[in-house]
Amino acid sequence: MNMARLYKINSINLVTKLLGIILFMIAFSVDARGVYQTDKDFLSEAFNNEIPKSKVVWNKGQIRENISSILGHDYASLRIRYWQDSSQSSWILEEVGKEKPITFGVTIANGKVEYVKVLTYRESRGEEIRYPAFTGQFQQAEINDNRLNRQIDGISGATMSVRAMTAVVTLALYLTETTVIE
Amino acid sequence: MNRKIRTLHRTIGAIIAIFVLMFAITGIFLNHTSDFELDKRYLTWNWLLEHYGVAHVEADVVYLLGQRAISQFGPQVFIDSTPVVNSQSLILGGVIIDDLMVLATQNELILFSHEGEFIEKMSESAGIPPLIRNIGLFHGEPVLQTRNGMWRSDFMLDQWEAISLQGIGWSQPQAMPDNVELELAEYFHGKGISIERFILDLHNGRILGNIGVWFVDIIGGLLILISLTGLWMWVRGIA
């Protein structure tokens, strides 16, 4: 009798704990939206608090065609701003994940990706792409014929966000090439 | 008793005759909406659009820059009746600088060409002073009023110097031009009221709102009553 009661109490405790864990997970996973780093903080970090004057690439002519080819659609703005010093350039770019634009910060050095960050995430799911465990895949990536030279492993449930990040990194590498040509 | 029934029958008949006619005619039309393409033809009478509440649109804010009307509806920014960009922050003002239209929100400048092409959003990282309150012009140069003072730049907009000036032409919200409001009303509400919807609302009384629905219910009740009184008289052989 006592054993049965003890078993029942333990079962109730287990269920309560499981419910608690599930509620905790839901509370911290329902809304992925947020500003994870401001543009200014991203640039301060990239350039050790000495942010160079910004420059722009005009999204026109052949550049526009290539950008459309990389993204699969036109980039929204006519002017794309970037920051560059003697060793690297940083780009703050937006691309729609599933429904809403995600703001990415990409830093390029010597034609290779130094790092990529999610600055603002507006989708309700899929923010796992912001973790270094995922973004690390892009480190030292390059482009050949405007295609990334490596395969990026996806994340279940974040397919569109992964696609957006891959497209933006490719775009940043391409845009950096155009600035070198300039 | 028979006389009373006959009087009731005739009185109800006189009251509902016009409505029975209307139900019959609108009903016939509704049976043939596809044949007459009533769902593809629109009524644009002003009084009707006003009645349905689709004659006007109410923008959060409107600025006139040159010949263009800049308006904001929630996050959507329009140039005339074309949606051009989304902004989560309210537009606080706008000016024309050379070949640019420049809109100011709390922490960004949004740039457009005169043709309405979106050029870019410039924020603090591009050198824009944050916490903007308004934008204006001083001898053709852009001036920002921010929570931290007044700033002036040139057409490049990427370098701002702190200043203190008088006589700045600050941007002011304005009324929506009628022609743009008409176009926006069409953008938000469609081409007008379809004839099918108008006839259906006549038929079920919704043209007069909830009161109209109750009124049609009463007419329906009277129709039941006239049918019953008619049957009564027929059974009793009353002429």
Side-chain angles (χ1 to χ4, degrees):
Chain A
M1 178 65 181
N2 283 342
M3 280 301 287
R5 193 173 172 198
L6 191 63
Y7 177 75
K8 193 177 175 184
I9 288 167
N10 279 341
S11 299
I12 290 168
N13 279 341
L14 184 65
V15 169
T16 310
K17 279 176 185 170
L18 276 173
L19 275 173
I21 290 167
I22 289 166
L23 285 173
F24 179 83
M25 287 172 74
I26 288 170
F28 287 91
S29 65
V30 160
D31 202 343
R33 286 167 281 209
V35 177
Y36 295 112
Q37 192 171 29
T38 64
D39 296 2
K40 195 180 175 189
D41 288 346
F42 168 73
L43 293 169
S44 292
E45 185 187 331
F47 295 101
N48 295 320
N49 294 321
E50 291 179 11
I51 304 173
K53 195 165 176 283
S54 61
K55 301 175 183 178
V56 293
V57 173
W58 283 90
N59 178 16
K60 287 183 169 178
Q62 187 60 46
I63 289 177
R64 187 177 192 130
E65 283 179 27
N66 289 339
I67 289 174
S68 292
S69 162
I70 289 166
L71 297 178
H73 59 82
D74 276 345
Y75 193 74
S77 65
L78 266 183
R79 211 155 72 173
I80 301 171
R81 196 163 288 273
Y82 68 101
W83 293 258
Q84 190 174 48
D85 66 9
S86 56
S87 61
Q88 63 183 32
S89 63
S90 286
W91 301 81
I92 294 174
L93 301 164
E94 285 192 348
E95 173 65 341
V96 173
K98 189 175 181 186
E99 291 169 344
K100 295 185 176 173
I102 307 166
T103 307
F104 297 96
V106 189
T107 296
I108 312 281
N110 302 317
K112 296 176 182 175
V113 175
E114 279 287 300
Y115 55 87
V116 54
K117 287 190 165 189
V118 174
L119 305 184
T120 304
Y121 196 81
R122 301 176 184 86
E123 302 278 13
S124 56
R125 293 179 63 194
E127 103 289 5
E128 296 92 331
I129 60 165
R130 73 189 171 93
Y131 293 113
F134 177 74
T135 59
Q137 295 183 86
F138 291 95
Q139 270 181 348
Q140 299 302 305
E142 298 173 76
I143 50 168
N144 297 320
D145 293 329
N146 295 338
R147 293 173 72 93
L148 217 57
N149 70 340
R150 64 179 62 173
Q151 189 69 34
I152 302 298
D153 293 335
I155 298 174
S156 299
T159 310
M160 300 303 279
S161 299
V162 170
R163 190 207 60 78
M165 185 180 270
T166 308
V168 157
V169 169
T170 310
L171 177 61
L173 286 163
Y174 165 71
L175 289 169
T176 304
E177 276 186 4
T178 66
T179 63
V180 173
I181 292 164
E182 278 177 352
Chain B
M1 180 69 177
N2 287 344
R3 195 171 168 183
K4 278 185 182 172
I5 292 291
R6 193 168 64 178
T7 307
L8 181 64
H9 186 82
R10 290 176 62 181
T11 308
I12 293 171
I15 292 170
I16 67 170
I18 189 83
F19 297 104
V20 172
L21 273 175
M22 189 190 74
F23 293 143
I25 293 167
T26 52
I28 290 167
F29 275 112
L30 287 175
N31 267 348
H32 299 280
T33 49
S34 300
D35 302 331
F36 298 136
E37 294 192 330
L38 300 181
D39 53 339
K40 296 187 179 97
R41 294 156 74 177
Y42 296 88
L43 302 171
T44 54
W45 304 322
N46 275 341
W47 66 268
L48 188 68
L49 298 180
E50 295 271 1
H51 181 71
Y52 274 86
V54 299
H56 301 286
V57 288
E58 190 140 347
D60 299 337
V61 73
V62 181
Y63 294 94
L64 300 182
L65 300 185
Q67 302 297 312
R68 316 301 290 268
I70 313 296
S71 58
Q72 187 171 14
F73 294 81
Q76 220 168 8
V77 179
F78 288 76
I79 294 183
D80 295 331
S81 58
T82 307
V84 282
V85 74
N86 272 17
S87 170
Q88 297 301 324
S89 306
L90 185 70
I91 295 171
L92 303 169
V95 293
I96 292 179
I97 303 162
D98 290 341
D99 53 354
L100 293 176
M101 290 193 283
V102 182
L103 309 180
T105 68
Q106 189 181 25
N107 289 311
E108 282 180 329
L109 296 184
I110 307 173
L111 278 54
F112 295 95
S113 68
H114 278 302
E115 290 71 39
E117 282 180 295
F118 170 53
I119 295 174
E120 70 165 325
K121 289 180 181 174
M122 295 175 74
S123 59
E124 193 179 1
S125 57
I128 307 300
L131 304 173
I132 296 168
R133 286 179 167 165
N134 203 350
I135 187 168
L137 288 175
F138 185 75
H139 297 302
E141 291 188 328
V143 179
L144 289 178
Q145 179 66 58
T146 73
R147 202 176 293 173
N148 303 316
M150 197 181 286
W151 304 79
R152 180 171 64 182
S153 182
D154 56 20
F155 69 96
M156 294 292 287
L157 301 166
D158 55 356
Q159 283 187 318
W160 295 79
E161 58 166 339
I163 44 124
S164 179
L165 293 169
Q166 299 285 325
I168 294 160
W170 294 111
S171 176
Q172 299 281 346
Q174 279 148 314
M176 177 86 77
D178 289 344
N179 61 324
V180 177
E181 186 174 9
L182 272 177
E183 289 170 13
L184 281 166
E186 185 173 326
Y187 176 89
F188 282 107
H189 303 305
K191 295 173 185 172
I193 305 298
S194 75
I195 296 176
E196 180 187 29
R197 183 177 171 192
F198 178 62
I199 291 177
L200 183 62
D201 288 350
L202 272 179
H203 192 75
N204 59 26
R206 290 190 196 282
I207 191 104
L208 298 176
N210 284 337
I211 293 171
V213 175
W214 281 106
F215 184 74
V216 169
D217 289 346
I218 292 167
I219 300 292
L222 291 175
L223 270 172
I224 293 167
L225 201 56
I226 201 172
S227 305
L228 294 175
T229 52
L231 275 172
W232 173 275
M233 289 190 296
W234 179 74
V235 169
R236 294 297 179 105
I238 303 167

